[in-house]
Amino acid sequence: MAWGIPSTASLARFCQKLNRVKTLEEPTMETSLRRHLTTLDLTLQGVGGMVGLGLYILTGTVAKWMAGPAVLVSFSVAAVASLLTALCYAEFVVRVPCRGSSYLFTYVFTGELWAFLVGWIVLIQWLIGVAAMARVWSSYLDVIFSHRIRSFTEAHVGIWQVPFLARYPDFLAAGIILLFLAFVSCGGRVSSWVNHIFSAISLIVILFIIILGFVLAHPHNWSGEEGGFAPFGFSGIMTGAATCFYAFAGFGAIAASSVEARNPKRTVPMALAISVGVVAGAYILVSTVLTLMVPWHNLDPDSALADAFHQQGHSWAAFIVVAGAICAIITLLLNILLFVPRMVCAMSADGLFFQVFARVHPRTQVPVVGILVFGVLMAFLALLLDLEALVQFLSIGIMLELTVLTTSIIILRFRKSPPSSSQGPGSPVGTEQASAPEPGQLRAAMRPYLRFLGGCRPGATVAWSLGVLVASAITLDCVLVFGDSALHLPPWGYTLLLLLSSATFLLSLLVLGAHQQQRRQDTFQVPMVPLTPALSILLNIFLMLHLSYVTWLGFSIWLLIGLVVYFGYGIRHSKENQQERPRLMATHSSLKMVPALQPPSQALAQEPGHMEEPTSP
């Protein structure tokens, strides 16, 4: 049989497979947990999830290699981008009344392929995050022993001069991960009161760093003699902002507890906004005192905060900082080591990943295979990779993941909700009022001005406009980032491209705004859609383009591996695909009851004993 060009119907069915969504079952939809958490409770959980990720990992690295003292501006820009994204994230959290994640939200509201890619991105993000945390913890422990561990390893193993590999193999970091791995594999957990104690210790240490740091501050360290406030210029600040974005990734901890919130519609958005603001203030103040205490070029990026007090002759303060870092990282390491295998287990249960990872130990209820496989991979990354290479991979993953979610907000707003929550993802907690205009239609007030769009079916213009919006955002950001250097454009060419891409972006935004949206009173909705998510998409892409080419290359290879896994395994073994097969077989068998080109009257004439017409498909 010769291979031909696929028909339009085949391509349509293939695209439907890629975009099929997950139907939430009733046990998943409902929760028996008592709704008792207040805004303060959720805010503290969000702060606890974010405060250790960037404080002890990113501050020194960004200040040393990317932004200098302007690292505080980098944190400010990253905070604005995170706040825009957090508002979009809040709408998903409130609409899905269960313990959610980016993977689940994307599967419920957008489609299967996008959900797999988000899960795949989250996987590498947390693998590298654990490796980076272990290396930082190892560096802070090394400070206690006056860097004897590093000196011993360099003397007996040697020093590597390979780009993106560590200066020396960090056996202590790998050992830390394996130790925590053994604890988690046996079913060990950190109780909530231990989490609260460690979070309290970490916050007290942050206040200590800020207060004593300002006492030891020397404004001369920001002077021109030391390189100035922004030694790497605007590009360095933006590169630092792109890297610092990961510092705010922990706001997803609020999603895990949103089902226990008293009033999710009000509590979750406020907790997300307040926690991002509090953590941004802490990061800005800490990075300020850090670069005022020690010149940015003298910082030790692996243990910047402790080493800064050590250089000032306050070794006792360095020990306090080490204690705070250890407390903050212990909680994060254990939570991530528990989260990663369970997310992989969820993907396996949905059929998108290999079934072996869905098996749990009958006694401990722990996905042992996932913990062992990915735990060993984390230890391997911590052993070999350089911290600077690790932190750039962290941010590109979280930014792309949240950009997909932000785009999903626009898709969700202009899509019609199904009449029942059991029929699809559009309205898991309620239904649209029957009298409301259909989302995706052109607004009545705009029809006289956009008559050429009046004949399009609902949603078609929105889909094309969203595609143009994302494409124009990428083009505009590429012109802004690379127009003067990599593209080598003349002034008139640069100006022309800038105007064309900006006009296209604004035009697509206006076309989207001219269409009817979902309006719900029973849940939180992001204000000013599509403007808010569009600005988030534009800013996230702008920051991602400031990351290094090698980071993009490595990340692209990881995505390519993920696509091979999905198209080689996931698309066929998907749970949604298995549920579709009986329906397709039933439809196929009903079609065989009557020949396709034969009128029903002739079919009945051939069967005299047949008293009823065949059921039409």
Side-chain angles (χ1 to χ4, degrees):
M1 178 177 172
W3 292 94
I5 299 176
S7 64
T8 305
S10 300
L11 291 175
R13 285 194 299 270
F14 180 71
C15 292
Q16 287 175 355
K17 281 190 173 186
L18 301 183
N19 291 285
R20 57 194 170 199
V21 294
K22 180 180 177 67
T23 303
L24 292 180
E25 302 172 356
E26 291 301 321
T28 309
M29 296 282 295
E30 298 176 357
T31 176
S32 60
L33 296 175
R34 185 168 59 92
R35 293 188 176 274
H36 65 283
L37 296 181
T38 63
T39 302
L40 179 61
D41 296 326
L42 292 178
T43 300
L44 290 176
Q45 291 190 14
V47 171
M50 287 185 278
V51 77
L53 290 172
L55 192 71
Y56 302 105
I57 296 176
L58 300 176
T59 309
T61 302
V62 174
K64 173 83 172 183
W65 303 116
M66 301 175 193
V71 60
L72 62 96
V73 182
S74 297
F75 273 116
S76 302
V77 175
V80 172
S82 299
L83 182 60
L84 291 174
T85 307
L87 290 175
C88 299
Y89 195 83
E91 181 165 339
F92 286 120
V93 173
V94 174
R95 289 177 72 102
V96 179
C98 62
R99 296 186 182 274
S101 63
S102 300
Y103 163 74
L104 176 63
F105 298 152
T106 309
Y107 206 168
V108 169
F109 292 107
T110 308
E112 184 174 284
L113 173 63
W114 306 105
F116 176 85
L117 291 178
V118 165
W120 192 250
I121 292 169
V122 171
L123 178 59
I124 188 63
Q125 168 194 328
W126 289 120
L127 290 179
I128 294 177
V130 168
M133 291 177 198
R135 287 197 66 91
V136 170
W137 195 16
S138 170
S139 299
Y140 276 97
L141 286 176
D142 195 29
V143 171
I144 297 178
F145 297 101
S146 301
H147 300 291
R148 291 192 182 95
I149 300 174
R150 179 171 63 186
S151 301
F152 178 84
T153 307
E154 290 179 352
H156 291 79
V157 178
I159 298 175
W160 295 342
Q161 300 293 338
V162 181
F164 299 100
L165 290 186
R167 179 181 172 86
Y168 61 91
D170 198 335
F171 295 103
L172 180 58
I176 289 170
I177 293 178
L178 294 176
L179 179 64
F180 279 78
L181 192 66
F183 177 78
V184 171
S185 298
C186 296
R189 296 175 180 272
V190 178
S191 61
S192 59
W193 66 269
V194 174
N195 271 329
H196 291 156
I197 289 175
F198 280 4
S199 297
I201 292 174
S202 181
L203 291 174
I204 292 171
V205 170
I206 291 173
L207 289 175
F208 169 79
I209 292 171
I210 293 172
I211 294 171
L212 184 58
F214 274 116
V215 173
L216 301 175
H218 298 286
H220 176 74
N221 291 330
W222 284 9
S223 66
E225 297 178 10
E226 297 292 348
F229 178 74
F232 298 94
F234 178 78
S235 177
I237 293 174
M238 290 298 105
T239 303
T243 307
C244 291
F245 193 96
Y246 182 75
F248 302 93
F251 62 68
I254 295 176
S257 303
S258 61
V259 291
E260 301 175 61
R262 287 181 181 175
N263 183 10
K265 177 183 175 181
R266 178 178 179 273
T267 302
V268 171
M270 287 188 63
L272 281 168
I274 294 172
S275 59
V276 169
V278 169
V279 171
Y283 284 152
I284 291 170
L285 289 173
V286 169
S287 57
T288 300
V289 300
L290 176 65
T291 52
L292 284 174
M293 278 195 299
V294 178
W296 62 270
H297 48 79
N298 289 338
L299 291 173
D300 181 357
D302 294 340
S303 54
L305 292 171
D307 186 69
F309 286 107
H310 186 74
Q311 291 187 42
Q312 289 286 327
H314 293 72
S315 298
W316 59 273
F319 286 114
I320 295 176
V321 174
V322 169
I326 290 175
C327 289
I329 295 176
I330 280 177
T331 306
L332 290 170
L333 276 175
L334 287 174
N335 288 336
I336 294 174
L337 285 173
L338 284 168
F339 168 78
V340 170
R342 279 169 169 75
M343 191 201 70
V344 175
C345 184
M347 294 176 66
S348 301
D350 288 334
L352 300 183
F353 205 56
F354 304 110
Q355 289 297 308
V356 66
F357 293 103
R359 299 175 184 172
V360 296
H361 194 276
R363 182 177 61 85
T364 62
Q365 294 300 305
V366 170
V368 179
V369 176
I371 288 177
L372 292 177
V373 171
F374 294 107
V376 171
L377 182 56
M378 292 174 188
F380 184 75
L381 293 174
L383 178 71
L384 298 179
L385 291 186
D386 178 57
L387 184 60
E388 183 185 358
L390 290 173
V391 296
Q392 290 210 24
F393 272 95
L394 292 177
S395 290
I396 192 173
I398 186 66
M399 278 191 287
L400 188 56
E401 166 204 344
L402 294 178
T403 299
V404 172
L405 276 179
T406 304
T407 308
S408 301
I409 284 291
I410 302 178
I411 297 173
L412 176 63
R413 282 297 187 88
F414 294 98
R415 186 174 61 190
K416 183 180 179 181
S417 298
S420 172
S421 61
S422 63
Q423 292 181 5
S427 181
V429 293
T431 58
E432 292 288 308
Q433 296 180 355
S435 59
E438 182 179 353
Q441 283 185 336
L442 193 64
R443 296 177 186 269
M446 303 302 297
R447 287 172 188 169
Y449 307 100
L450 299 172
R451 293 178 180 175
F452 62 96
L453 298 177
C456 299
R457 61 181 177 83
T461 306
V462 170
W464 281 102
S465 299
L466 180 58
V468 173
L469 178 77
V470 175
S472 60
I474 295 173
T475 305
L476 176 58
D477 286 329
C478 287
V479 173
L480 292 173
V481 176
F482 305 118
D484 292 335
S485 55
L487 299 180
H488 301 291
L489 292 174
W492 65 268
Y494 176 83
T495 305
L496 180 61
L497 271 180
L498 188 63
L499 291 175
L500 286 176
S501 55
S502 300
T504 306
F505 180 82
L506 292 175
L507 182 60
S508 58
L509 193 61
L510 291 174
V511 171
L512 284 172
H515 286 76
Q516 189 66 43
Q517 300 182 32
Q518 289 187 28
R519 297 297 181 188
R520 300 173 56 107
Q521 300 298 325
D522 60 337
T523 185
F524 170 77
Q525 288 191 308
V526 182
M528 296 187 296
V529 172
L531 179 61
T532 300
L535 291 178
S536 178
I537 293 169
L538 188 67
L539 185 54
N540 288 352
I541 295 173
F542 181 74
L543 293 179
M544 281 191 287
L545 292 176
H546 280 86
L547 297 173
S548 67
Y549 297 106
V550 177
T551 301
W552 274 100
L553 177 61
F555 189 73
S556 300
I557 293 173
W558 178 255
L559 284 181
L560 182 61
I561 295 173
L563 290 173
V564 171
V565 172
Y566 175 74
F567 287 108
Y569 180 88
I571 193 172
R572 291 181 291 107
H573 294 82
S574 165
K575 188 189 227 180
E576 298 298 325
N577 185 57
Q578 302 300 324
Q579 293 175 355
E580 282 181 359
R581 285 184 177 179
R583 294 195 296 266
L584 292 175
M585 291 178 64
T587 303
H588 184 66
S589 61
S590 66
L591 286 173
K592 287 184 177 180
M593 296 179 66
V594 179
L597 300 178
Q598 191 174 16
S601 58
Q602 295 181 17
L604 292 174
Q606 293 178 2
E607 299 181 22
H610 202 324
M611 302 300 298
E612 298 180 358
E613 274 192 32
T615 304
S616 60

